Amino acid sequence: MTYDIVIRGGTLVTATGRFSADLAIEGERIAAIVTPGTPLDAVRVIDATGKHVIPGAIDVHSHHREPGYTHKEDIVSATSACAAGGVTTSFAMPNVQPPPNTVERLDAIIDLYNAKALVDWNINAAGTVPEEIPGLASRGIAAFKVFMVVDTGRDYPHMPGIGVHDHGKLLEIFETIEPTGVPLMVHPHDQALMGHIEEGFWARGERDALAYAKAYSAHDGIIWDTAAALLLRLQKATGTPLHLLHTQTTGVIEQLRTAKAAGQHVTAELNPWAVFLGNDWRNIERLGSYALSYYVPEKNTEPLWAALADGTIDLISTDHAPHTREEKEPGWTDGWKAHTGTPSTQFYVPMFLDAAVTGRLTLERTVDLLATAPAKAFGLANKGKLEVGADADIAIVDLDAELEITDAIVLSKIGHTPYAGKRVRGVVDTTIVRGRPVYENGGVTGTPGWGRQARPSR
Ligand SMILES: [Zn+2]
């Protein structure tokens, strides 16, 4: 037979090992994995000599901004950045306008993705309207998302319809989601504590980005720790699978260890800003709001890497959150007026490959965190692995080449990155989504509409 593509000469890396092999693709699937040099007929041969072949990254937490905020990003620009970054599946967060908290709204957004996405995708529906939850769960979604953030006057898209802070309402949401079998992602946040902390900063006249950074990390991250404690207790009460977002404190790491040891159904993610950006105070002084997402005080860095290595943190997702310069600039004088969040989908795979090259994590664990574990956590049975029969979602990466991150190469609509100037070992050479190259030779080759909903099998 003649295969569509054969990738020759590379080293395949999975969550459990690495080996030299040639990989053949037929249609959308991996059709064969054979000893290097085995004669195979192919329409196209990709030479991966000296390179590593890994499953494409699966990002379960990304802000694509469409509909409603397309001046920041849209589905085409976000998924183009994914293609260039080795990301073959990206889940969109629901803080768009109108938010997908009803079946009608979700269906409209699904139509947009079917027409525009270059890579595979799903949409994390807002699980804030209990009567809509069963209907939303029937649309092939992989997760619900709820923010515990209640807007405190900032012009940031925490619009009505996506945030719930009332503990009773949160319990009702956990209870309603449980029979659907769909996991619930939550952004942990203690609004009452944050309100008090903010009042103190404002009373002292401290309002700039540095004050904002300190407020969110006050008392060793008390707003994160108390919210996580509530969420883990609600998980225990209801059995609803919980995916905890934004792991960044040692307090949350300790709670995760205890909950997992007790057999609770919880997964947790780390976002790249927690170990590459917001964990260095010098970045916050230099970049102000451009470095925030959140300040993650330096003493958390080593515990976070350890939690990534030992499985306490299950997976890496981006929290890709592009904002324009106009939306970031006010932070120099008022951090509460700047929009929170940092972009990363194009560069996080290279940054974590660099962490593998420099020995922070094994290459196998890195592949697990980026691809295999997210597929497993969200039921994507055919993704996140290099196996015969699996979707041919593949990134070919060069660990000997160096990438210099610059604003000029940013594909996100905003055209800037807080990681500009950073040099990392690990370049994405080629990205393949279900058998079709969507990025190669330094350019995006995918077409809008090729991406398909990555539906979980439950
Ligand atoms: Zn987010």
Side-chain angles (χ1 to χ4, degrees):
M1 79 171 280
T2 303
Y3 294 106
D4 291 321
I5 295 175
V6 171
I7 301 169
R8 284 213 185 269
T11 300
L12 275 57
V13 186
T14 70
T16 53
R18 68 184 87 178
F19 50 98
S20 297
D22 293 347
L23 183 151
I25 297 169
E26 174 63 24
E28 300 186 357
R29 301 290 177 95
I30 297 172
I33 295 174
V34 298
T35 307
T38 303
L40 296 173
D41 287 332
V43 175
R44 185 170 168 205
V45 174
I46 296 175
D47 181 10
T49 305
K51 293 168 187 160
H52 290 80
V53 179
I54 65 174
I58 297 174
D59 182 3
V60 302
H61 178 170
S62 188
H63 298 272
H64 299 166
R65 307 301 191 204
E66 185 172 356
Y69 299 93
T70 53
H71 66 286
K72 297 174 190 275
E73 187 79 296
D74 59 31
I75 296 166
V76 171
S77 63
T79 58
S80 296
C82 287
V87 183
T88 50
T89 301
S90 183
F91 290 2
M93 281 303 186
N95 54 335
V96 291
Q97 194 62 267
N101 55 4
T102 70
V103 172
E104 189 183 10
R105 288 171 168 187
L106 176 64
D107 285 348
I109 297 177
I110 287 173
D111 287 346
L112 290 175
Y113 276 79
N114 276 324
K116 296 184 177 188
L118 279 78
V119 305
D120 284 357
W121 51 272
N122 211 324
I123 296 155
N124 302 319
T128 49
V129 185
E131 53 271 31
E132 293 282 344
I133 283 170
L136 291 166
S138 74
R139 292 303 200 264
I141 61 168
F144 286 98
K145 159 80 184 272
V146 168
F147 293 80
M148 287 175 72
V149 182
V150 179
D151 191 39
T152 52
R154 280 182 290 162
D155 179 27
Y156 174 77
H158 285 142
M159 71 288 297
I162 58 157
V164 174
H165 193 259
D166 180 277
H167 296 188
K169 289 206 173 74
L170 282 168
L171 175 58
E172 183 187 3
I173 289 164
F174 271 78
E175 288 169 343
T176 312
I177 289 177
E178 193 279 330
T180 69
V182 177
L184 171 60
M185 304 179 163
V186 186
H187 173 131
H189 180 81
D190 191 314
Q191 188 68 50
L193 289 178
M194 193 63 211
H196 175 71
I197 291 164
E198 285 172 333
E199 290 298 335
F201 277 86
W202 298 341
R204 294 190 296 275
E206 298 179 36
R207 287 210 74 121
D208 64 3
L210 306 188
Y212 181 87
K214 287 175 187 163
Y216 273 78
S217 58
H219 303 297
D220 289 332
I222 192 171
I223 64 159
W224 305 99
D225 293 355
T226 57
L230 172 72
L231 293 167
L232 288 166
R233 190 63 185 82
L234 294 176
Q235 192 291 320
K236 191 175 169 184
T238 59
T240 308
L242 170 67
H243 179 66
L244 201 57
L245 305 175
H246 306 316
T247 309
Q248 60 190 288
T249 69
T250 52
V252 170
I253 292 169
E254 285 161 13
Q255 292 182 59
L256 283 167
R257 289 210 171 102
T258 305
K260 288 186 164 196
Q264 281 190 242
H265 198 154
V266 58
T267 54
E269 71 178 31
L270 175 117
N271 311 122
W273 47 258
V275 290
F276 295 128
L277 185 67
N279 60 321
D280 185 340
W281 185 251
R282 291 168 301 179
N283 287 335
I284 294 165
E285 288 190 324
R286 178 170 62 92
L287 298 168
S289 294
Y290 290 92
L292 302 168
S293 303
Y294 300 100
Y295 173 43
V296 185
E298 286 76 351
K299 64 181 173 185
N300 298 293
T301 301
E302 291 306 322
L304 285 168
W305 284 111
L308 285 171
D310 72 17
T312 304
I313 297 174
D314 299 81
L315 57 94
I316 293 165
S317 281
T318 60
D319 186 27
H320 173 73
H323 298 290
T324 66
R325 291 185 190 281
E326 291 69 29
E327 292 162 339
K328 284 293 192 184
E329 279 299 308
W332 295 113
T333 51
D334 191 338
W336 278 263
K337 287 220 171 78
H339 293 196
T340 301
T342 49
S344 55
T345 194
Q346 191 176 341
F347 304 119
Y348 83 114
V349 170
M351 288 193 291
F352 280 101
L353 290 174
D354 184 77
V357 169
T358 56
R360 275 282 185 189
L361 296 167
T362 67
L363 191 53
E364 289 81 359
R365 178 61 182 153
T366 305
V367 165
D368 193 10
L369 286 160
L370 292 170
T372 310
K376 197 172 156 214
F378 293 93
L380 307 182
N382 292 325
K383 293 193 177 294
K385 56 192 179 185
L386 300 179
E387 288 174 12
V388 172
D391 285 355
D393 294 342
I394 291 167
I396 303 172
V397 299
D398 187 345
L399 300 184
D400 294 321
E402 190 179 71
L403 171 70
E404 183 181 0
I405 299 173
T406 64
D407 288 345
I409 61 171
V410 169
L411 295 174
S412 277
K413 239 174 171 175
I414 55 169
H416 61 89
T417 167
Y419 301 104
K422 200 173 167 74
R423 290 170 168 275
V424 292
R425 282 263 298 283
V427 170
V428 176
D429 197 83
T430 303
T431 306
I432 297 172
V433 174
R434 278 179 294 102
R436 186 182 289 192
V438 295
Y439 177 83
E440 56 186 331
N441 304 317
V444 175
T445 56
T447 48
W450 174 247
R452 188 185 294 164
Q453 186 177 17
R455 288 171 161 254
S457 45
R458 300 200 167 84

